[in-house]
Amino acid sequence: MPATLSSKTFDFLKKLTQNNNREWFTENKNLYTDAQENVIDFLEDLIKEMGGFDEELSKIDAKKSLFRIYRDTRFSKGKSPYKTNFGASLGMGKGSQKGGYYLHLEPKKSFLAGGIYMPESSVLKEVRKEISLYGENFLKILNQKDFKKYFPELDQDDKLKKVPQGFEKEDPMAEYLKLKNFIVVYNLKDEEVLDKNAVKNLAKIFKLMKPLNDFLNAPFL
């Protein structure tokens, strides 16, 4: 039976949100340790399940995929020392060279994501070229029935106002060429995350992202 996320893990995150200070965290370190172990167990089974459709994921270490809970407050206005979520990079991260997956666990704010997030300029240029050259294939992925049901559109954050240099203004894919990120997001309800079949259910949603990742990774194979 695949691991499940415990409601105690979310209870810990709720308490941390209300007591985001070092004194409380130190006194309740055992709650954090238990929650972290629960998430790692869940990730191990999720990675195994996802490895059935993406072999690359089988190489990922569940523990290493989990982001630290400690916040870097040096350049941040908010000085709360801890994150109030568990985030795991399953081949996806800021500045990543290739498309991957991401899981965010937080009471009432959990979500799944996939694609390339804030790629380096050289990677971004190659992805845009691929979209311009093979726009029809790209649209076919975005308009696939099940894909569109979960991901109505690509993330629009930081979108350019003009078509980037090196591309025609009249390019049929112009609106997509203006994007700086190529990611899709699916927001999860707490019931979906804590469901006993969450590993299989979440893996099915992640699987819908694979054709997009394959397309985004094509220029770098």
Side-chain angles (χ1 to χ4, degrees), residues 170-181:
E170 296 78 21
D171 192 305
M173 302 301 291
E175 289 307 306
Y176 293 101
L177 301 179
K178 294 176 186 177
L179 297 176
K180 284 188 177 181
N181 302 300

Side-chain angles (χ1 to χ4, degrees), residues 122-188:
S122 59
V123 173
L124 181 57
K125 188 173 183 180
E126 290 304 313
V127 170
R128 283 171 170 161
K129 277 184 191 174
E130 194 78 1
I131 291 171
S132 178
L133 285 169
Y134 305 105
E136 202 171 301
N137 295 346
F138 187 64
L139 291 176
K140 193 175 179 182
I141 293 166
L142 301 188
N143 293 322
Q144 198 273 334
K145 188 181 175 184
D146 288 334
F147 185 94
K148 204 164 182 67
K149 176 184 171 184
Y150 285 91
F151 319 115
E153 66 174 3
L154 291 173
D155 182 75
Q156 303 290 308
D157 285 353
D158 301 321
K159 184 177 178 180
L160 299 173
K161 289 184 177 162
K162 295 180 180 178
V163 176
Q165 279 190 328
F167 298 93
E168 298 292 332
K169 290 179 183 177
E170 296 78 21
D171 192 305
M173 302 301 291
E175 289 307 306
Y176 293 101
L177 301 179
K178 294 176 186 177
L179 297 176
K180 284 188 177 181
N181 302 300
F182 297 92
I183 59 172
V184 288
V185 175
Y186 177 72
N187 295 313
L188 293 160

Side-chain angles (χ1 to χ4, degrees), residues 20-66:
N20 202 329
N21 61 75
R22 288 183 177 84
E23 293 75 21
W24 183 88
F25 191 85
T26 301
E27 287 174 16
N28 294 275
K29 191 75 180 279
N30 62 309
L31 297 181
Y32 164 63
T33 304
D34 289 347
Q36 183 188 43
E37 286 177 358
N38 177 227
V39 172
I40 290 170
D41 287 345
F42 182 81
L43 286 171
E44 282 176 348
D45 284 352
L46 180 61
I47 289 168
K48 188 176 179 182
E49 186 74 21
M50 292 172 68
F53 64 80
D54 192 332
E55 288 181 16
E56 285 293 308
L57 291 169
S58 302
K59 302 172 187 173
I60 293 175
D61 182 305
K63 193 171 183 179
K64 290 179 181 177
S65 75
L66 197 60

Side-chain angles (χ1 to χ4, degrees), residues 67-214:
F67 288 112
R68 285 162 49 86
I69 200 162
Y70 307 97
R71 291 182 66 238
D72 184 350
T73 58
R74 290 173 300 168
F75 309 107
S76 173
K77 288 182 181 178
K79 298 301 177 184
S80 300
Y82 307 103
K83 297 171 187 172
T84 54
N85 67 79
F86 285 107
S89 169
L90 307 175
M92 176 184 170
K94 184 176 177 181
S96 176
Q97 299 284 340
K98 57 183 293 188
Y101 311 87
Y102 173 78
L103 174 63
H104 183 97
L105 300 171
E106 183 175 6
K108 296 189 170 147
K109 295 180 183 177
S110 299
F111 64 87
L112 307 176
I116 293 183
Y117 177 61
M118 293 184 73
E120 294 176 7
S121 57
S122 59
V123 173
L124 181 57
K125 188 173 183 180
E126 290 304 313
V127 170
R128 283 171 170 161
K129 277 184 191 174
E130 194 78 1
I131 291 171
S132 178
L133 285 169
Y134 305 105
E136 202 171 301
N137 295 346
F138 187 64
L139 291 176
K140 193 175 179 182
I141 293 166
L142 301 188
N143 293 322
Q144 198 273 334
K145 188 181 175 184
D146 288 334
F147 185 94
K148 204 164 182 67
K149 176 184 171 184
Y150 285 91
F151 319 115
E153 66 174 3
L154 291 173
D155 182 75
Q156 303 290 308
D157 285 353
D158 301 321
K159 184 177 178 180
L160 299 173
K161 289 184 177 162
K162 295 180 180 178
V163 176
Q165 279 190 328
F167 298 93
E168 298 292 332
K169 290 179 183 177
E170 296 78 21
D171 192 305
M173 302 301 291
E175 289 307 306
Y176 293 101
L177 301 179
K178 294 176 186 177
L179 297 176
K180 284 188 177 181
N181 302 300
F182 297 92
I183 59 172
V184 288
V185 175
Y186 177 72
N187 295 313
L188 293 160
K189 294 176 182 174
D190 288 0
E191 309 90 80
E192 292 176 276
V193 177
L194 301 174
D195 189 283
K196 65 178 181 178
N197 296 312
V199 162
K200 287 190 176 296
N201 295 339
L202 269 54
K204 283 179 185 175
I205 301 172
F206 273 128
K207 187 177 181 180
L208 294 172
M209 301 175 185
K210 188 170 187 295
L212 174 64
N213 282 336
D214 288 345

